[in-house]
Amino acid sequence: MMRSLYSGVAGLKTHQTKMDVIGNNIANVNTMGFKSSTVLFRDVLYQTTSNATGATPTTGGTNASQIGLGTKVSSISTSVTDNGAAQSTNNPYDLMLNGESFFIISRGGSNCFTKVGSFQVDGAGCLVTSHGYQVMGWQVDPENPDQIKKNTVSALYPESEANLVSSPEQTSETYMTGNIDFTDPDLTSVDGKVISVSIYDALGYPYTAKFKLTMDENQADQSLYNLEIQSITDANNVEILGEDDAATPDVVEGGYTATIAGANSIQLKFNADTGRFEYAGTAGQKEALFEITPINPNEKGDVFSSVINGEAVDGITVDFSNLTMFESDGNATAKMVRGSTESTGGGRSMGLLNDVSIDTSGMIYGVYSNGETKLLGQIAVATFANPMALEAIGDSMYVTTQNSGYFDGIGSSVDEDGGTMSQGVLEMSNVDLSSEFTEMITTQRGFQANSRIITTSDSMLEELVNLKR
């Protein structure tokens, strides 16, 4: 009789525990990144009243007789790998992980892990959680600014003082494109066809360089043309360089000289039969160097000479290989474009950080007002052999246990195991209310049934006591 009483008590305790878990799940139905938990029961010790016997030639075998002693909680497991729905926030630092990986967070010097990607930047430009814990990742390789150096994770500073400004860069490459139609009257006029291109010096100041394209008089097949330097003006349209003496190869004014292939002009040669470009200046040459130098460097400063990506740049390369000489209704369309055909070497002015973009692999890019996009770091993630064994410590964070596997201090990229990172969205709770309320009903009925065991056992004990009147 006493066994049933304690079995009922055990049932009440386990169902109360399950109700506590269900209540916590429902309470966190709108908690970002919350992972629901489930409770499993198991039976406990059995009292054996008679053992099993084997069969004999004259009698059959018998089964053991056992009386169970109730139930207890087998496990409380958290479904940390089941993603919740995505909620759009349009905050560039709100991130959602799709997959089984976790963000790495430094909390008091120790690494913790979370699925909640609600981040912001602090006064030092460091990426932190809403509680001020630092988000960990990898830094840009100082020897290769376009690559990430995957090393021990450290705090990320996407909006540090150094990242708020994009340094200017001198123009190092240009190219000419378009078509030259020798019937265009501008090509045989005194002023020629004017071609201009905007360029930047090493300090980021803009200039406009003007050239004159004319047909060479000493030819019979209209396949030779001269590209001559005319002037260079600054942002205020003030000439720092203009025509001087036509007898000299340099153009001098305002303390600067300019040459293209070492002279005031360069000859462009086309194939008269095919219209294709052949060479610039000398046979085999497709490019020429356009140089702007100060007459007195101590006075003017050599602003058109700098170091870009570790290499000295003393002039602007002009690529002519994209020019053609075809018929185009008497209109020459030749023009000069800043930068190369691969969009490199165009130069830029100083820029301010306008926006931060984070791609699906966690790469952080700064978008600047001068058009530059610069790599600022990468958010690393952690994966575990048994993420269900992580221990929750509150604030939607987890720490490792002996059964979860340990963090190696380096982490991995989210796309290494097929996951992705989404910017501007947060992961919602993965609590399924329909399932939770169904479990609540069965838990309530189980609790009621176990309470009836106690009351019924009590009634039976009362009857036993009342046998003696």
Side-chain angles (χ1 to χ4, degrees):
M1 198 70 66
M2 297 296 292
R3 285 190 296 253
S4 63
L5 279 171
Y6 286 109
S7 293
V9 171
L12 290 177
K13 288 182 178 179
T14 53
H15 281 83
Q16 180 61 58
T17 299
K18 184 173 183 179
M19 191 62 204
D20 292 340
V21 173
I22 293 173
N24 184 59
N25 288 342
I26 295 176
N28 286 280
V29 67
N30 288 321
T31 301
M32 290 296 175
F34 177 79
K35 303 301 181 181
S36 62
S37 300
T38 56
V39 180
L40 296 179
F41 297 161
R42 65 179 175 88
D43 54 0
V44 293
L45 291 173
Y46 285 83
Q47 181 179 356
T48 302
T49 58
S50 64
N51 295 320
T53 61
T56 67
T58 58
T59 60
T62 60
N63 296 329
S65 297
Q66 294 179 296
I67 301 173
L69 302 179
T71 183
K72 66 186 302 182
V73 174
S74 173
S75 66
I76 302 175
S77 58
T78 304
S79 55
V80 295
T81 58
D82 294 336
N83 287 336
Q87 177 179 334
S88 176
T89 65
N90 296 321
N91 183 342
Y93 290 119
D94 281 346
L95 304 171
M96 175 179 173
L97 288 174
N98 302 295
E100 297 186 0
S101 54
F102 294 79
F103 293 110
I104 306 165
I105 307 298
S106 178
R107 185 186 189 203
S110 299
N111 288 327
C112 303
F113 312 94
T114 185
K115 281 283 192 177
V116 181
S118 178
F119 303 140
Q120 58 194 27
V121 291
D122 63 11
C126 182
L127 190 62
V128 296
T129 69
S130 56
H131 297 89
Y133 306 139
Q134 293 176 328
V135 181
M136 309 298 278
W138 299 314
Q139 309 300 327
V140 177
D141 188 343
E143 297 181 358
N144 190 347
D146 296 326
Q147 298 292 328
I148 291 293
K149 188 174 184 179
K150 296 184 178 181
N151 206 334
T152 303
V153 293
S154 57
L156 295 168
Y157 289 81
E159 294 192 22
S160 65
E161 287 293 332
N163 290 334
L164 292 179
V165 175
S166 168
S167 300
E169 186 176 286
Q170 177 195 331
T171 300
S172 60
E173 295 181 84
T174 62
Y175 69 95
M176 286 196 69
T177 184
N179 183 68
I180 296 176
D181 186 339
F182 60 74
T183 62
D184 187 335
D186 288 342
L187 298 173
T188 56
S189 66
V190 175
D191 295 329
K193 184 171 184 63
V194 177
I195 296 174
S196 64
V197 62
S198 61
I199 57 176
Y200 291 98
D201 67 13
L203 301 178
Y205 290 101
Y207 300 85
T208 300
K210 289 186 179 181
F211 300 83
K212 178 174 69 173
L213 182 66
T214 56
M215 183 185 297
D216 195 300
E217 298 177 353
N218 303 317
Q219 62 175 331
D221 55 7
Q222 290 83 36
S223 64
L224 288 174
Y225 297 85
N226 293 316
L227 184 69
E228 182 181 347
I229 303 171
Q230 288 289 288
S231 66
I232 298 178
T233 56
D234 62 17
N236 297 318
N237 204 30
V238 176
E239 284 192 350
I240 67 164
L241 184 150
E243 287 191 17
D244 184 51
D245 186 354
T248 64
D250 294 342
V251 179
V252 180
E253 185 163 305
Y256 286 88
T257 65
T259 60
I260 184 165
N264 182 46
S265 64
I266 188 171
Q267 192 175 70
L268 307 180
K269 177 68 170 66
F270 293 83
N271 187 304
D273 297 325
T274 65
R276 300 293 180 183
F277 180 78
E278 288 193 346
Y279 60 82
T282 59
Q285 293 294 321
K286 302 288 186 179
E287 300 176 346
L289 193 63
F290 174 45
E291 295 180 283
I292 306 169
T293 56
I295 297 174
N296 186 351
N298 294 328
E299 177 183 346
K300 295 292 184 179
D302 198 359
V303 293
F304 287 98
S305 178
S306 65
V307 177
I308 302 175
N309 296 328
E311 296 183 5
V313 177
D314 294 321
I316 301 172
T317 301
V318 185
D319 181 6
F320 298 98
S321 59
N322 294 285
L323 285 172
T324 58
M325 190 188 70
F326 302 134
E327 187 279 330
S328 57
D329 295 329
N331 181 31
T333 60
K335 62 180 180 179
M336 190 176 292
V337 181
R338 187 179 77 247
S340 69
T341 55
E342 298 177 353
S343 300
T344 60
R348 57 179 180 266
S349 61
M350 187 191 76
L352 300 177
L353 183 64
N354 275 347
D355 194 13
V356 173
S357 174
I358 303 174
D359 68 11
T360 56
S361 64
M363 294 277 197
I364 306 174
Y365 294 93
V367 181
Y368 295 85
S369 57
N370 61 358
E372 184 190 14
T373 299
K374 184 167 63 174
L375 182 62
L376 306 180
Q378 182 177 5
I379 299 173
V381 297
T383 56
F384 300 94
N386 182 17
M388 302 284 283
L390 292 171
E391 180 182 343
I393 58 173
D395 295 334
S396 299
M397 293 189 184
Y398 302 87
V399 294
T400 58
T401 64
Q402 291 182 342
N403 197 37
S404 65
Y406 292 100
F407 175 57
D408 61 4
I410 298 176
S412 60
S413 179
V414 66
D415 54 2
E416 288 183 12
D417 61 351
T420 58
M421 197 176 295
S422 302
Q423 184 183 23
V425 295
L426 288 175
E427 181 182 357
M428 300 176 66
S429 170
N430 68 352
V431 173
D432 183 351
L433 276 179
S434 61
S435 175
E436 295 299 328
F437 278 114
T438 302
E439 289 294 324
M440 184 186 294
I441 292 172
T442 60
T443 302
Q444 180 185 11
R445 294 307 180 193
F447 189 90
Q448 288 177 337
N450 279 275
S451 66
R452 294 296 180 269
I453 294 174
I454 296 174
T455 56
T456 303
S457 296
D458 178 57
S459 297
M460 293 174 69
L461 283 173
E462 182 182 6
E463 290 296 325
L464 182 62
V465 172
N466 289 335
L467 286 177
K468 184 178 185 302
R469 296 285 184 178

